[in-house]
């Protein structure tokens, strides 16, 4: 895309360039074709099928026998003879809205904390010190552990009877009886957030670090010569320059957080306090005899994520091409 | 999901043609999926040896997660996709109506043996005249108690939930005062999953509060007796039961119990054999009785559990698979399972077997308990059972964790079940 802008002017002048360009475009198309095909098969087609299923009454025992029912799985209403109108469908389902709220709460809180912590870690790692390579590698360990494994591991650590967290807090005298971190509705979401922050801060730190290393050193030298306070340097030099990288990192995490499933499914009991959109739609798709209803919920989840991303790009005037507005 | 199902369908057809070409009389490999782990998994190879020798086929086991809800989700997906890699499924007693269409009717293949099983169990696996699965063991929970502790504090074995609450509280207090800080009065299954439906159904039924949805399809759950049952259970959380009980499944409860940290436990008979194993802290220190009754009702209730084997209709070698299913349900294997793992047989004759009586006394005692056990409402609610169960255990879990009172939650549950039921189940 970058090249198309810069080439559009000389284009009109020289015909040979245009044919070269066309050749390039054709080559690019051939290189892209396999990936686009694969993407369509593994992402596009299932997505379209899910959207189609959400307008039918398909059940998992008979995948090809669904009838078209329009928007019934989303919202429908009947007016009783008494004049009372009853709404039903996902958009009138309190469990769905509870899940939406849980997901948004989880995403906003976890991504904010991870961004701040990640940036802090990245600033430290950006300094020259002995053993930096080792620390950089070590900090990635939580990110490298599969979520299922870390969820199980934290599940044991947070266990109310045998867990090491309770043991340590008791030994320190911070709590006087064991806390059931994952099953108590007041602490369940908190536990999930702690584990998620532990796991994904390294990812944020890594992306921020990449952004920080793009900043030319001479700007800092100039600031140093001018005698500017380091805090001012951070807010007026580092932060604006690292912003594009930070925005990309946040958007990646946000997409991930909005569809969170594994951590919550493994770590907490299936309770109202932590159920997210993915958990609820899986439940309807597979456990209950409501495949179409679950498809409607997946479609809504997709729509919500799409809206979120559009809003974010628009509000942040984010340039996803990777070039900064220098 | 869908493209995968098409793909696997194509693979199925390809594989089907291949196996046809390679001849029908050849030895088959029968794949069996089961959620049972630990010792049962280890002994599987030895257990099926005689069947392998006799038929020339081989059997392979794929272990599944311990939560029956997780197993169900996976099986449902496999079956919907027409998966031909799995021939025999181990199924929960409540799944028959939901998965009936995907399994082979075993009735014509088991005419000679169904008469040996308890008729009520065979009936629970029969949907519209089709025998969906063959029972391999049945289940009815027990109240486990610590003989040594009850004797030490001169307490009688409780027969009502109220007595149990008192005894548990008093022993817990005295033991803690004596320095045993980790002791709890009562452990059970409080996680929001199928197990909580079983536990809560027992409380409600033993208080005389019905069985959620009655056999004729009526929704009976919103009543004062059910409310008082849930209120009593709620009072246990944080007093005689650890708060974490709200995330416990069977194995978590057994973990607390078998390390010697509980006075009472509600669990299935499998915990009996494990509790008496050599590395158990409670070996020879405990006994079992039927679950207590509640209020002034005077009749206790145990939820009917149990596992069965079903043959997938997508199996490439159904004959070998049926023969394997018959083998798993045979007297020889049921007896082995009873002796090794204290699993309750489904064959009438094994309840008077002298070896079993000697080694696993719980089994002969348990005949009456499971014969009177309460079925979960899977038959009247048919394909909607999972959702009914989920709504029920969510309402109970909310009540126990202080998210609304029992009155509010059961009233809401009644409304939701009515919505779900519509004009009929």
């Amino acid at each position: 895309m970058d090249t198309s802008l810069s080439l559009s002017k000389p284009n009109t002048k020289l015909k040979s360039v245009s044919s070269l360009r066309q050749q390039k475009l054709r080559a690019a198309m051939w290189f892209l074709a396999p990936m686009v095909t694969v993407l369509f098969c593994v992402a596009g087609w299932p997505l379209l099928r899910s959207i189609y299923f959400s307008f039918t009454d398909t059940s998992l025992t008979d995948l090809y026998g669904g009838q078209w029912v329009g928007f019934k799985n989303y919202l429908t209403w009947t007016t009783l003879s008494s004049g009372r109108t009853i709404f039903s469908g996902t958009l009138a389902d309190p469990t769905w809205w509870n899940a939406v709220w849980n997901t948004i709460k989880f995403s906003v809180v976890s991504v904010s904390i991870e961004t701040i912590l990640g940036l802090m870690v990245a600033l430290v790692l950006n300094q020259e010190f002995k053993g930096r390579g080792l620390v950089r590698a070590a900090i990635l360990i939580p990110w490298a552990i599969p979520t299922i494994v870390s969820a199980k591991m934290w599940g044991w650590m947070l266990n109310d009877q045998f867990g090491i967290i309770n043991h340590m807090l008791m030994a320190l005298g911070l709590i006087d009886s064991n806390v059931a971190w994952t099953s108590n509705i007041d602490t369940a979401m908190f536990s999930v957030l702690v584990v998620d922050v532990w796991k994904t801060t390294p990812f944020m730190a890594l992306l921020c670090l990449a952004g920080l290393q793009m900043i030319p050193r001479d700007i800092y030298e100039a600031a140093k010569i001018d005698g500017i306070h380091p805090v001012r340097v951070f807010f007026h030099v580092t932060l604006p320059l690292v912003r594009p990288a930070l925005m990309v990192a946040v958007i990646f995490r946000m997409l991930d957080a909005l569809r969170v499933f594994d951590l919550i499914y493994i770590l907490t009991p299936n309770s109202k306090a932590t159920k997210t959109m993915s958990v609820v739609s899986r439940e309807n798709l597979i456990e209950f005899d409501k495949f179409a209803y679950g498809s409607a919920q997946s479609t809504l989840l997709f729509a919500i994520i799409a809206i979120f991303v559009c809003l974010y790009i628009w509000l942040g005037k984010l340039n996803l091409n990777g070039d900064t507005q220098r | 999901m869908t493209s995968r199902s098409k793909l696997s369908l194509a693979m199925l057809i390809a594989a089907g043609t291949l196996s046809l070409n390679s001849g029908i009389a050849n030895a088959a490999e029968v794949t069996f999926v089961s959620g049972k782990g630990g010792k049962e998994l280890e002994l599987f190879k030895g257990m099926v040896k005689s069947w392998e020798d006799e038929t020339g086929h081989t059997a392979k086991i794929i272990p599944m997660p311990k939560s029956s809800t997780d197993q169900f989700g996976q099986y449902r997906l496999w079956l919907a996709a027409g998966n031909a890699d799995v021939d025999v499924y181990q199924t929960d007693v409540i799944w028959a109506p939901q998965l009936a269409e995907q399994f082979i009717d075993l009735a014509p293949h088991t005419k000679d043996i169904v008469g040996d099983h308890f008729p009520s169990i065979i009936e629970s696996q029969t949907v519209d005249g089709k025998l969906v699965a063959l029972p391999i063991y049945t289940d009815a929970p027990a109240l486990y108690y610590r003989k040594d502790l009850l004797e030490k504090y001169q307490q009688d074995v409780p027969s009502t939930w109220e007595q149990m609450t008192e005894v548990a509280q008093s022993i817990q207090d005295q033991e803690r005062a004596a320095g045993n800080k980790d002791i709890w009065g009562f452990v059970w299954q409080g996680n929001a999953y199928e197990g909580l439906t079983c536990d809560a159904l027992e409380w409600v039924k033993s208080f005389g509060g019905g069985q959620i949805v009655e056999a004729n399809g009526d929704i009976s759950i919103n009543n004062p007796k059910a409310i008082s049952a849930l209120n009593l259970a709620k009072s246990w959380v944080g007093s005689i039961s650890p708060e974490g009980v709200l995330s416990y499944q069977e194995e978590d409860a057994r973990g607390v119990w078998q390390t010697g940290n509980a006075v009472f436990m509600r669990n299935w008979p499998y915990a009996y054999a494990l509790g008496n194993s050599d590395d158990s802290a409670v070996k020879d220190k405990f006994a079992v009785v039927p679950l207590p009754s509640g209020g002034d009702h005077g009749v206790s209730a145990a939820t009917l559990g149990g596992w069965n084997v079903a043959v997938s209709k997508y199996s490439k070698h159904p004959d070998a698979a049926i023969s394997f299913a018959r083998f798993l349900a045979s007297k020889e294997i049921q007896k082995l399972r009873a002796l090794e793992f204290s699993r309750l047989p489904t064959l009438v004759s094994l309840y008077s077997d002298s070896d079993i009586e000697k080694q696993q006394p719980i089994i002969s005692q348990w005949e009456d308990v499971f014969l009177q056990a309460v079925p979960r409402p899977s038959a009247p609610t048919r394909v909607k059972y999972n959702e009914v169960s989920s709504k029920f255990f969510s309402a109970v879990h909310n009540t126990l964790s202080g998210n609304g009172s029992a009155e509010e939650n059961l009233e809401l549950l009644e409304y939701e079940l009515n919505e779900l039921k519509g004009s009929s189940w």
Side-chain angles (χ1 to χ4, degrees), chain B residues 306-318:
Chain B
W307 289 81
N308 314 277
V309 285
V311 176
S312 162
K313 81 174 178 193
Y314 310 102
S315 167
K316 276 173 276 175
H317 11 253

Side-chain angles (χ1 to χ4, degrees), chain B residues 116-129:
Chain B
D116 303 339
H117 294 264
F118 285 98
S120 59
I121 301 175
I122 291 293
E123 199 187 314
S124 75
Q125 297 307 305
T126 306
V127 178
D128 301 329

